[in-house]
């Protein structure tokens, strides 16, 4: 009997295990062997699929490409960004993984390169009016703040509520930043 292996399923299991490990323990506290064990595969497959622990980390903390959010109305863009960063489907916050990994400078650089700059720039292009880049950065910073509290600070109320509850309470803030200041 020939056993057929499903490369994509194996890769997906490795990524899910890596996201959880990196979010909980950071880069230094996560071993390739532990990730492979959580995924139920041999550690050699990590190197086959990702090349290195660094490659696995980059893939596990990668967010959706901001370009895929182009064309969404700004409020939907913010909702999608909130889902990606603060309410990931597997519960493993990419923001927590970035903050718990490496030196402060490395974490800051990765956040700027992977999150702050690309999402701010993409969202700023979708906003009208004055200060669109500042309003976009405020929205991204607000989402990152929620992601940090949910993913890094244990025992918070924000960590226990669902995305719809957060969205309901923050709709006015999002709307105000999307629309910009009203003319005086």
């Amino acid at each position: 009997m020939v056993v057929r292996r499903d490369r994509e399923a194996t890769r997906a299991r490795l990524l899910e295990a890596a996201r959880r490990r990196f979010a909980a323990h950071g880069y230094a506290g996560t071993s390739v062997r532990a990730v492979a064990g959580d995924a139920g595969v041999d550690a050699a497959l990590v190197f086959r699929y990702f090349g290195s622990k660094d490659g696995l980390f980059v893939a596990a903390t990668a967010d959706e490409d901001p370009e895929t959010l182009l064309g969404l109305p700004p409020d939907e863009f913010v909702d999608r960004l909130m889902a990606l960063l603060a309410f990931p489907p597997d519960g493993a916050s990419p923001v927590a993984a970035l903050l718990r990994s490496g030196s402060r400078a490395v974490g800051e650089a990765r956040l700027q390169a992977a999150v702050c700059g690309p999402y701010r720039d993409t969202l700023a292009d979708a906003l009208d009016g004055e200060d669109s880049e500042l309003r976009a950065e405020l929205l991204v910073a607000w989402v990152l703040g929620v992601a940090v509290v949910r993913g890094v600070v244990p025992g918070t109320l924000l960590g226990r509520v669902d995305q719809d509850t957060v969205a309901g309470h923050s709709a006015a803030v999002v709307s105000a930043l999307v629309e910009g200041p009203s003319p005086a």
Side-chain angles (χ1 to χ4, degrees):
M1 176 178 184
V2 175
V3 177
R4 187 167 184 261
R5 290 180 169 72
D6 184 344
R7 280 182 57 92
E8 287 306 310
T10 300
R11 189 176 192 284
R13 283 196 325 270
L14 283 166
L15 281 173
E16 181 179 346
R19 277 193 287 276
R20 289 186 184 283
R21 285 275 175 177
F22 287 130
H25 306 290
Y27 183 88
T30 298
S31 72
V32 167
R33 189 175 308 278
V35 170
D38 291 350
V41 299
D42 187 87
L45 288 178
V46 170
F47 298 100
R48 177 180 294 164
Y49 293 133
F50 303 100
S52 66
K53 181 178 173 181
D54 288 340
L56 176 64
F57 180 73
V58 168
T61 58
D63 295 318
E64 186 170 329
D65 182 350
E67 298 293 316
T68 64
L69 303 178
L70 286 176
L72 290 178
D75 55 337
E76 288 180 36
F77 184 107
V78 173
D79 287 346
R80 183 68 186 128
L81 187 60
M82 183 70 78
L84 290 169
L85 300 180
F87 295 88
D90 60 7
S93 168
V95 173
L98 291 170
L99 293 175
R100 289 185 171 131
S101 298
S103 69
R104 180 176 170 192
V106 170
E108 289 171 357
R110 180 88 172 104
L111 275 173
Q112 175 60 29
V115 179
C116 297
Y119 287 112
R120 179 204 57 224
D121 295 346
T122 303
L123 185 55
D125 289 344
L127 297 177
D128 294 324
E130 289 185 38
D131 297 329
S132 61
E133 190 171 328
L134 175 60
R135 290 184 287 123
E137 189 161 292
L138 285 167
L139 284 164
V140 171
W142 172 73
V143 170
L144 280 173
V146 172
V148 167
V149 172
R150 284 187 51 80
V152 178
V153 182
T156 64
L157 177 59
L158 191 53
R160 295 188 304 269
V161 298
D162 61 55
Q163 185 179 353
D164 290 338
T165 301
V166 171
H169 286 291
S170 50
V173 172
V174 172
S175 179
L177 286 170
V178 165
E179 293 171 17
S182 53

